[in-house]
Amino acid sequence: LNAETAVNGTWLLCINLDGEPLQQIEFCEEALKDQNINETDRAFALFVRGKAYQGLGKSEEAIADFGESLKLNPDVLAVLLRSGEVFRDLGKPDLAMADFNRAIEVDPDYAPALTGKAALLMELAQFTEALAAIEKLVQLSPDDSYKYSARGRIPLFLQKWRYASNNFAKAIALQPQEPVYWNNHGYSTEMLGDVEGARADYEKALSLDPSFDLAKKNLDALNAKTKK
């Protein structure tokens, strides 16, 4: 969705989606007063104003505009995503999930909605379902180390240490300079009983970032436990 392809009216072409929110709101309100505005333009103006409200932390106003926009054009991915994000912020997970799922129905490969869904499922402690959403993201971006790291974090809650360790190892292979990956691999390795492997991972994480408190705590705890 963008100002050059989503609308017919030339008055909307000057909207900068990353512009100053108050100016966007003012401009959109003027546009929405136009009696001759068509539905496509109205839907887009409502989306832009809602996005501006969201940026200002005005969630109720944002969700109202996103809702009106979706009534006019129910399958716009960007609006569904933003609406889901705001419902999540408002503590309405069922409505947020409905928007994320609708976006995924429209485009099963829409990564932002898959990411939003996975994050929401994590918040709801629905780890198995979150893992399924992450699996799809890994398929879409097989060279993205962060996706493997995310796929590794979820099994930690399920105590699937080997699966977690394997995913952190893949993340490390793609981005070996990321200390978080080494720390997380160390933790899953420790849970598998490999004390020396875990120690080496924590030490590697600290060599990359000496200020990494979690890695230091994990290493200190491991050393205390093993009397080293």
Side-chain angles (χ1 to χ4, degrees):
L1 185 67
N2 61 72
E4 293 184 352
T5 61
V7 300
N8 297 319
T10 56
W11 52 266
L12 272 177
L13 295 179
C14 64
I15 288 182
N16 177 3
L17 290 182
D18 296 317
E20 207 284 319
L22 292 177
Q23 290 182 345
Q24 289 178 328
I25 291 170
E26 181 181 359
F27 186 85
C28 289
E29 287 178 348
E30 287 300 315
L32 289 167
K33 293 176 183 177
D34 185 350
Q35 298 297 316
N36 297 317
I37 187 174
N38 61 47
E39 287 192 356
T40 301
D41 290 355
R42 178 175 291 278
F44 183 74
L46 287 163
F47 165 68
V48 173
R49 189 174 68 177
K51 181 175 176 290
Y53 278 134
Q54 183 185 11
L56 294 171
K58 296 185 175 182
S59 297
E60 295 291 350
E61 291 88 341
I63 207 64
D65 276 352
F66 293 147
E68 290 301 312
S69 180
L70 288 169
K71 286 179 184 179
L72 296 168
N73 197 346
D75 295 333
V76 179
L77 295 176
V79 186
L80 287 165
L81 176 67
R82 292 280 180 168
S83 180
E85 290 173 346
V86 175
F87 275 132
R88 177 184 168 192
D89 292 341
L90 287 170
K92 298 180 179 181
D94 291 345
L95 295 173
M97 191 64 71
D99 281 335
F100 292 143
N101 282 335
R102 178 56 189 155
I104 294 167
E105 287 176 13
V106 175
D107 182 357
D109 294 341
Y110 188 46
L114 289 164
T115 301
K117 179 177 180 177
L120 179 57
L121 288 167
M122 286 285 289
E123 291 176 6
L124 297 173
Q126 297 179 19
F127 302 119
T128 301
E129 294 83 353
L131 190 57
I134 293 293
E135 292 283 0
K136 179 65 174 179
L137 287 167
V138 171
Q139 293 173 18
L140 292 172
S141 304
D143 297 324
D144 185 344
S145 65
Y146 179 78
K147 300 299 191 303
Y148 289 103
S149 176
R151 193 169 69 173
R153 287 197 304 273
I154 295 172
L156 296 178
F157 295 95
L158 302 171
Q159 297 187 3
K160 294 183 177 181
W161 312 122
R162 180 66 63 187
Y163 188 66
S165 178
N166 290 343
N167 277 283
F168 293 133
K170 290 178 181 177
I172 289 169
L174 290 166
Q175 182 56 273
Q177 301 303 309
E178 175 51 65
V180 172
Y181 299 165
W182 287 100
N183 176 75
N184 291 347
H185 187 264
Y187 181 76
S188 57
T189 298
E190 182 179 350
M191 293 301 102
L192 287 168
D194 183 357
V195 172
E196 293 307 316
R199 180 177 288 113
D201 285 342
Y202 295 144
E203 290 175 346
K204 178 64 175 180
L206 287 168
S207 73
L208 293 169
D209 181 3
S211 66
F212 191 2
D213 286 342
L214 182 56
K216 188 176 188 307
K217 289 178 181 177
N218 286 338
L219 180 59
D220 289 346
L222 179 62
N223 287 337
K225 187 164 52 178
T226 58
K227 306 298 182 183
K228 184 166 181 176

